[in-house]
Amino acid sequence: MELLWKWLRHPEDIYHLLRFKMGGYRVVMPRMDPVSGGRGRMLRGPGGRGGHAVCIFYLVLRALDTIEDDMTISLDVKVPMLLEFHSYLYQPEWKYMESKEKHRQVLEDFPTISMEFRNLAKVYQDVISDICHKMGVGMAEFLEKKVDSQHEWDQYCHYVAGLVGIGLSRLFSASELEDPIVGQDTELANSMGLFLQKTNIIRDYLEDQQEGREFWPREVWSRYVKKLSDLAKPENIDMAVQCLNELITNALRHVPDVLTYLSRLKNQSVFNFCAIPQVMAIATLAACYNNKQVFRGVVKIRKGQAVTLMMDATNMQSVKAIMYQYVEEIYQKIPSTDPSSNKTQQIVASIRTMSLPGGPMASRHHYSPIYLSCAMLLAALSWQYLSTVSKAAEEYVQAGEN
């Protein structure tokens, strides 16, 4: 009955899920191309020009991330691997067969990936190699230290996600899909990554605790509890929610940059590629804000809601409307007694101002297949976050085929 009530309150989700199951998933789900040589499969990038480079960029970063995530690799082996990873791109035979991670195939088949990398134009190779070098150095730095200050939180998120945004932006400009300013303005591109990564970290508090990982900044949580794990204790739930709200407020500071970045994009496929993860993130933060469930389980946006967002985020007017909707939802939930309430209200007010429609609202119910042709969500700025959407999509694909 509770599930039925949710659907009745959100009829637009039913509409999009029906479209999804009746064939809409063919334009929403990523198209797959075989990697040359027939080994493995990869995602098609935005547009024709530069799309292949984006796919290779994703696979290379997936391999680097797999090394970082693999807790079975000792530090004396892992640190040199992270520092030297960018050089492996130019070593045709390099691969790693000892990983126990679920994505280990990208390391085992790395010669295929590196060959594709070396076949790219030099301008793309230079971007990918440079980002890999910087990211490997940053990952190695944070292997042996915890995130302490809010500055270090920004720094860590820059290494693992901001650099992805910067790299993608440079590829978009190098391919001439976008103007040079998109790749040159690294501050805005960095904010795109930070907003997604902070959303991941905030939402995944409990999962990370259960797996022995800590990414919430000590500077913040230490004002509420003695140990980060104490936030999950029932007796600390009020303090935990206040800590949560403070971090969400911190993450919302990146939204104005996100809106400015997206407003500069001209290519439709690039816009879809960049906008979809951002609207997913704001919806997730709205669901997490002032929500005790973050410390008791997993907070997820509804599957139908996810599909609706994927299909709506095709133009700037709609993205502004989505951002406005979810920051308004957050505003309505701000407790007057919350220590961060003033800061939260201030950032919400600034986002509201940027999100006000400049003219008639674009239709959010007419979808051209070309607008949806590049929903390659897993290759976007935060593949961990978007894997949830992929799983939801796969479930509905399977349901539609049965």
Side-chain angles (χ1 to χ4, degrees), residues 148 217-228 231 243:
D148 190 6
R218 177 186 293 272
E219 180 185 338
V220 175
W221 62 256
S222 63
R223 291 200 290 268
Y224 300 93
V225 288
K226 292 182 178 179
K227 295 187 300 182
L228 183 56
L231 292 175
C243 181

Side-chain angles (χ1 to χ4, degrees), residues 8 19 61 102 107 123 140 155 175 179 203 216 221 226 231 246 284 288 305 330 332 348 355 370 394 398:
L8 291 175
R19 284 194 53 183
L61 295 187
K102 60 181 178 181
L107 295 174
V123 65
Q155 190 179 31
S175 66
D179 291 338
R203 180 204 59 189
W216 284 27
W221 62 256
K226 292 182 178 179
L231 292 175
E246 182 173 349
T284 298
C288 289
Q305 183 183 2
I330 290 172
Q332 296 299 327
V348 165
S355 301
I370 192 171
E394 288 172 4
Q398 292 169 359

Side-chain angles (χ1 to χ4, degrees), residues 315-354:
N315 61 77
M316 199 61 215
Q317 286 287 79
S318 289
V319 168
K320 284 183 176 181
I322 292 167
M323 291 290 186
Y324 190 97
Q325 170 192 338
Y326 285 111
V327 296
E328 183 65 24
E329 185 177 314
I330 290 172
Y331 181 81
Q332 296 299 327
K333 295 193 290 186
I334 300 175
S336 58
T337 56
D338 190 272
S340 303
S341 61
N342 288 338
K343 288 184 179 179
T344 311
Q345 289 169 353
Q346 288 172 7
I347 188 59
V348 165
S350 66
I351 297 170
R352 275 174 168 170
T353 301
M354 291 189 71

Side-chain angles (χ1 to χ4, degrees), residues 271-337:
F271 184 88
N272 295 349
F273 179 90
C274 294
I276 291 171
Q278 302 296 330
V279 297
M280 295 288 187
I282 192 68
T284 298
L285 289 184
C288 289
Y289 185 81
N290 208 49
N291 189 347
K292 299 176 182 179
Q293 190 60 26
V294 171
F295 304 96
R296 297 169 177 168
V298 180
V299 175
K300 295 181 179 179
I301 57 176
R302 302 181 313 278
K303 293 173 183 177
Q305 183 183 2
V307 173
T308 300
L309 289 170
M310 289 163 63
M311 301 181 79
D312 277 2
T314 59
N315 61 77
M316 199 61 215
Q317 286 287 79
S318 289
V319 168
K320 284 183 176 181
I322 292 167
M323 291 290 186
Y324 190 97
Q325 170 192 338
Y326 285 111
V327 296
E328 183 65 24
E329 185 177 314
I330 290 172
Y331 181 81
Q332 296 299 327
K333 295 193 290 186
I334 300 175
S336 58
T337 56

Side-chain angles (χ1 to χ4, degrees), residues 10 109 116 301 337 351 356 373 378:
H10 302 279
D109 288 350
E116 292 288 338
I301 57 176
T337 56
I351 297 170
L356 288 173
S373 66
L378 293 177

Side-chain angles (χ1 to χ4, degrees), residues 93-361:
E93 303 303 320
W94 187 88
K95 59 185 175 181
Y96 187 71
M97 306 297 293
E98 309 302 321
S99 177
K100 302 296 189 294
E101 275 290 297
K102 60 181 178 181
H103 298 297
R104 60 185 177 272
Q105 186 179 355
V106 289
L107 295 174
E108 294 172 353
D109 288 350
F110 199 75
T112 303
I113 297 171
S114 67
M115 179 183 68
E116 292 288 338
F117 165 83
R118 292 188 300 276
N119 287 335
L120 294 173
K122 187 176 184 300
V123 65
Y124 299 139
Q125 289 186 36
D126 290 346
V127 171
I128 296 172
S129 176
D130 179 53
I131 296 298
C132 279
H133 188 194
K134 292 173 179 175
M135 189 177 292
V137 170
M139 287 177 168
E141 177 184 339
F142 278 91
L143 276 179
E144 300 186 84
K145 75 174 184 180
K146 291 186 177 180
V147 177
D148 190 6
S149 66
Q150 293 185 67
H151 171 73
E152 286 179 338
W153 198 36
D154 281 359
Q155 190 179 31
Y156 172 76
C157 292
H158 164 73
Y159 284 137
V160 300
L163 282 171
V164 183
I166 292 170
L168 284 171
S169 300
R170 289 169 62 186
L171 291 176
F172 297 152
S173 294
S175 66
E176 299 182 352
L177 289 170
E178 297 295 344
D179 291 338
I181 187 62
V182 173
Q184 293 167 356
D185 196 334
T186 56
E187 186 174 343
L188 292 187
N190 187 59
S191 287
M192 293 282 285
L194 263 61
F195 184 56
L196 296 184
Q197 188 65 19
K198 287 182 178 181
T199 299
N200 292 343
I201 289 172
I202 291 166
R203 180 204 59 189
D204 292 343
Y205 164 82
L206 195 61
E207 178 183 333
D208 287 336
Q209 279 292 300
Q210 292 168 346
E211 297 187 13
R213 299 189 297 256
E214 294 191 355
F215 299 114
W216 284 27
R218 177 186 293 272
E219 180 185 338
V220 175
W221 62 256
S222 63
R223 291 200 290 268
Y224 300 93
V225 288
K226 292 182 178 179
K227 295 187 300 182
L228 183 56
S229 58
D230 290 343
L231 292 175
K233 295 180 179 179
E235 63 269 24
N236 295 326
I237 191 62
D238 291 339
M239 300 292 277
V241 169
Q242 290 178 3
C243 181
L244 168 70
N245 291 347
E246 182 173 349
L247 290 183
I248 290 177
T249 300
N250 177 294
L252 289 173
R253 292 188 296 107
H254 300 293
V255 173
D257 278 357
V258 167
L259 290 170
T260 301
Y261 179 98
L262 293 174
S263 70
R264 290 178 174 173
L265 301 179
K266 297 180 178 180
N267 180 276
Q268 184 66 58
S269 290
V270 171
F271 184 88
N272 295 349
F273 179 90
C274 294
I276 291 171
Q278 302 296 330
V279 297
M280 295 288 187
I282 192 68
T284 298
L285 289 184
C288 289
Y289 185 81
N290 208 49
N291 189 347
K292 299 176 182 179
Q293 190 60 26
V294 171
F295 304 96
R296 297 169 177 168
V298 180
V299 175
K300 295 181 179 179
I301 57 176
R302 302 181 313 278
K303 293 173 183 177
Q305 183 183 2
V307 173
T308 300
L309 289 170
M310 289 163 63
M311 301 181 79
D312 277 2
T314 59
N315 61 77
M316 199 61 215
Q317 286 287 79
S318 289
V319 168
K320 284 183 176 181
I322 292 167
M323 291 290 186
Y324 190 97
Q325 170 192 338
Y326 285 111
V327 296
E328 183 65 24
E329 185 177 314
I330 290 172
Y331 181 81
Q332 296 299 327
K333 295 193 290 186
I334 300 175
S336 58
T337 56
D338 190 272
S340 303
S341 61
N342 288 338
K343 288 184 179 179
T344 311
Q345 289 169 353
Q346 288 172 7
I347 188 59
V348 165
S350 66
I351 297 170
R352 275 174 168 170
T353 301
M354 291 189 71
S355 301
L356 288 173
M361 182 56 60

Side-chain angles (χ1 to χ4, degrees), residues 4-68:
L4 176 61
W5 175 239
K6 283 184 179 180
W7 290 123
L8 291 175
R9 284 186 297 165
H10 302 279
E12 75 282 2
D13 289 352
I14 301 176
Y15 166 72
H16 289 314
L17 280 172
L18 285 173
R19 284 194 53 183
F20 198 73
K21 292 174 74 172
M22 292 166 57
Y25 65 86
R26 292 187 177 89
V27 290
V28 176
M29 284 296 289
R31 294 184 180 182
M32 307 298 281
D33 271 353
V35 176
S36 63
R39 302 199 54 191
R41 302 183 74 80
M42 68 183 182
L43 298 168
R44 187 188 298 270
R49 290 175 298 171
H52 190 61
V54 171
C55 292
I56 298 304
F57 185 44
Y58 165 75
L59 290 171
V60 168
L61 295 187
R62 179 72 269 175
L64 179 60
D65 194 54
T66 300
I67 293 172
E68 185 205 22

